[in-house]
Structure formats: C-alpha cells, structure tokens
C-alpha cells in the first residue's frame, strides 16, 4: 500500500493527523456530493425508486465491509446517539442489573444508558483505565472480562477507545457476554473502515457507526447493524418508508401495519438521503478496494519510526499489540508547556486532538512518513 494523498484535497503544507475528529472527503466523494446537490435542483429527475434503491446498494456494500450476509439488518441513522437510542428503547432491565461501560467512553454512548439505569434502578459499572502505562491495554482487557458477570445485562463500548486507541478484545468479550446472556453493543465509529471487523466472528447485538470518520463519508449520516435480539423491536419514530409496500406511492394511504423485515424498521425518517447516500456509497466502495487490513498496516508503516524517539523524550504510548495503528494517544511529560506546544503546532499547520495531557494522533492513507517526522520535530522543539 502506498500513499493515496492525490485522491484527497489536503495541501502539502498541512500535516493532518486528526481524522478521528473529522475525516476529509475523497475527491471522488466530493464530486458525487456535488452532483447529488445538482440533482435536487432538478427534482423532476428524481424517481420513486431513488427513495429506496440507493440505500439498499449502500447497505449491501456496508454489509460486505463488516462481514455479514444480512444487509437487511442494517439501518440508516443520522448519528450514533440515534442508533444507541434505538437500542436503549428496546431494552428492559431489572433492579440491580449492571450496564458495563469503559472509563471516559464517548458521551453519545453514555447518556442514554444513564437514563435507562435510572429508569430501572440499574447500575452503571465503569471499567477504569489501569494506571500502569506499560501494560495498560492488557490489564484493561482482563479487567473487562472479570467484571462481566451474571449481573451484567449490557456491555456497551467501542472496538477501540476513542481517545487513545486502546484495542479491546471483542472476540473474548463477546464470548463472555454470550456465556452470561448479556447484550454486546459496539460503537464502531472510531474503527469501522480502518480496522477489519467481522459481525460473523464477533456477533454483536448491535454495531453503531457514524459515517463521517473512518467511513470517509459526510456528516449527519451513519449506519447501524441490529442483531436478532432487535428483530421485533419498537423504533423511536414511525416513518412511511419503513413499512411494507411503501414503494407503491399510490397506495400510501392504505395504511400498512407491518414493517419491512429485520432492521428496516429502524431507518431514520427521510432515509433515502439523496446527497449523503451516494457520497457514503462512493467512500465505502473505495475502502473495500483498499481493505481495512491494508489501511492498518500502512498507518503502522508510516508512524512506527517515531514511537521510540517519543518515548525517549518521556512520552508514554501504549504497547503496539494493544493500540490501533490509525489512532493512538501520546501522553506528554508533565513538565511540557502545552500552550507552547499548541502554538508550535499552529505555526507548522499540524492538526491533532488534545485530550488533557494526551494528544490523539489519527492518520490515514492521505498521510506519509514525513507527517510524523514533522510531528516529532515539533514535540522535540518544545521539550528541548
């Protein structure tokens, strides 16, 4: 795999290491979006099938990406919070049931669970991040497995930690949840598209994913996989296109009591998004050609040479086996002047995310080794 920067619109003087915040669009995806906007300017060209067929094509591509043969278990969502709300809307708990979450989990995968716990007098159990910086990932995974018990009703987490890239062993976690008959809900927003993921292997009860990060798609559109537990659930809204025979526009007032099969009932209203769907279809098709496995390997190849020099400067970085290669955290030495570092980054057009004493680095195929050389040089300038 080689750099694909020519397929993006990032100037040579910009070091963009912040795809976990917002990925750039491929130039081809940008062009598709502009064409889609033009189509809305001429609505007489929009046909009835345009409300349905493009979404079905997108679902099939996404099903291939997450390794499932059941594309109809995928729903169109506007956000992770919407997808999680659908999950929470279909769960009933008992008093003292436990909902297992990870320390410093992203809030869109926290707030709804807090409300559910309060509703049923259930318990939110937080698996705290270990203080050992050397074996953090290994210990953290062990703690998660130990805290999944007969009391656990739900485990809800990411494939990796959104702030520092710690990899969680979802296969082992899934096996434990199945053993105690608890639900496994995965927020894949910081991993799907950049790390290989198999629904067939992991068997999550739900996999929720925003489209604007590692799927390289537009903002405000995402995709959610819902397993058999949710087959007969209740959606958080009712819209016409999710019912059987909705393709028959002439018969829409012959109100239909039955939903379309599987996760189609959970599609957000106006799910035939004429702009977002063709854009996300284009980007996922490109990701499939690249293959997330190759993306991980490329990200590792362009960044691995700076790990030891950063550690020599007093920075802490998770061991390679327990961190993602497209997203990882660098814990800065306590004595570093953060304001000075931010100013250095600004002057050199380096874009990262600051998370307390950490900086989050997130790269992709539009990056190259020189981007990490520039990053290292800037940190060295401030620390020295």
């Amino acid at each position: 795999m080689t750099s694909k920067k020519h397929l993006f619109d990032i100037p040579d003087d910009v070091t963009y290491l912040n795809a976990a915040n917002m990925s750039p669009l491929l130039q081809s995806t940008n062009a598709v979006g502009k064409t889609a906007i033009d189509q809305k300017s001429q609505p007489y060209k929009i046909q009835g099938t345009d409300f349905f067929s493009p979404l079905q094509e997108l679902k099939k591509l996404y099903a291939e990406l997450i390794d499932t043969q059941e594309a109809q278990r995928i729903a169109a969502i506007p956000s992770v919070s919407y997808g999680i709300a659908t999950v929470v809307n279909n769960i009933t708990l008992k008093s003292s049931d436990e909902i297992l979450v990870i320390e410093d989990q992203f809030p869109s995968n926290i707030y709804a669970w807090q409300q559910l716990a309060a509703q049923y007098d259930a318990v939110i159990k937080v698996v705290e991040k270990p203080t050992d910086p050397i074996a953090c990932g290994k210990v953290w995974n062990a703690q998660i497995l130990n805290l999944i018990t007969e009391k656990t009703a739900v485990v809800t987490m990411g494939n990796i930690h959104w702030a520092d890239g710690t990899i969680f062993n979802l296969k082992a976690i899934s096996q434990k949840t199945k053993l105690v008959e608890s639900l496994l809900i995965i927020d894949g927003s910081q991993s799907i598209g950049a790390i290989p993921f198999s629904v067939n292997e992991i068997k999550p009860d739900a996999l929720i994913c925003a489209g604007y990060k590692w799927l390289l798609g537009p903002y405000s559109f995402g995709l959610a996989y819902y397993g058999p537990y949710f087959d007969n659930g209740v959606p958080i809204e009712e819209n016409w296109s999710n019912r059987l025979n909705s393709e028959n526009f002439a018969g829409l007032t012959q109100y239909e009591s039955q939903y379309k099969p599987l996760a189609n009932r959970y599609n957000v209203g106006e799910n035939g998004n004429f702009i977002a769907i063709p854009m996300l279809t284009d980007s996922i098709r490109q990701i499939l050609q690249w293959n997330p496995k190759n993306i991980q390997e490329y990200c590792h190849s362009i960044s691995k040479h700076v790990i030891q020099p950063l550690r020599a400067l007093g920075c802490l970085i998770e061991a390679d086996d327990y961190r993602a290669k497209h997203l990882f955290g660098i814990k800065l030495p306590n004595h570093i002047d953060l304001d000075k570092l931010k100013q250095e980054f600004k002057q050199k057009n380096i874009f990262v995310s600051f998370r307390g004493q950490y900086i989050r680095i997130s790269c992709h195929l539009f990056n190259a080794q020189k981007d990490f050389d520039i990053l290292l040089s800037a940190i060295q300038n401030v620390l020295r």
Side-chain angles (χ1 to χ4, degrees), residues 258-284:
Q258 297 296 312
Y259 294 106
K260 290 177 179 176
L262 303 180
N264 287 290
R265 68 182 62 202
Y266 301 124
N267 285 324
V268 65
E270 299 186 14
N271 54 75
N273 190 310
F274 304 121
I275 298 172
I277 287 176
M279 293 178 71
L280 194 55
T281 298
D282 179 80
S283 61
I284 290 179

Side-chain angles (χ1 to χ4, degrees), residues 175-202:
Q175 290 172 349
K176 187 71 180 286
T177 59
K178 299 295 186 290
L179 184 65
V180 300
E181 298 183 346
S182 64
L183 297 174
L184 177 60
I185 312 301
I186 302 299
D187 176 1
S189 298
Q190 293 291 13
S191 55
I192 302 300
I195 290 180
F197 186 94
S198 171
V199 165
N200 286 331
E201 180 181 31
I202 304 300

Side-chain angles (χ1 to χ4, degrees), residues 337-350 354 382:
D337 186 332
L338 281 178
D339 290 334
K340 185 176 180 181
L341 181 63
K342 290 177 181 180
Q343 186 61 33
E344 180 81 5
F345 281 4
K346 184 177 181 180
Q347 290 177 352
K348 293 189 174 181
N349 282 333
I350 300 171
F354 281 85
V382 174

Side-chain angles (χ1 to χ4, degrees), residues 93-100 122-123 125 147-155 180-182:
L93 299 178
K94 302 187 298 294
S95 176
S96 77
D97 274 351
E98 294 179 353
I99 301 169
L100 200 68
V123 177
K125 178 158 283 191
L147 288 175
I148 300 173
T149 69
E150 298 293 337
K151 291 184 178 181
T152 307
V154 181
V155 176
V180 300
E181 298 183 346
S182 64

Side-chain angles (χ1 to χ4, degrees), residues 64-132:
E64 182 180 350
L65 182 65
I66 62 174
D67 188 28
T68 176
Q69 289 70 49
E70 298 181 289
Q72 298 312 309
R73 291 198 177 281
I74 296 167
I77 58 173
S79 63
V80 168
S81 59
Y82 187 100
I84 294 294
T86 295
V87 169
V88 169
N89 192 53
N90 288 283
I91 294 178
T92 301
L93 299 178
K94 302 187 298 294
S95 176
S96 77
D97 274 351
E98 294 179 353
I99 301 169
L100 200 68
V101 303
I102 307 302
E103 185 178 13
D104 293 336
Q105 196 157 284
F106 195 78
S108 290
N109 195 18
I110 287 290
Y111 294 139
W113 298 109
Q114 291 176 338
Q115 290 187 351
L116 186 70
Q119 179 183 349
Y120 290 103
D121 195 26
V123 177
I124 298 283
K125 178 158 283 191
V126 180
V127 189
E128 296 181 354
K129 183 175 182 178
T131 56
D132 184 349

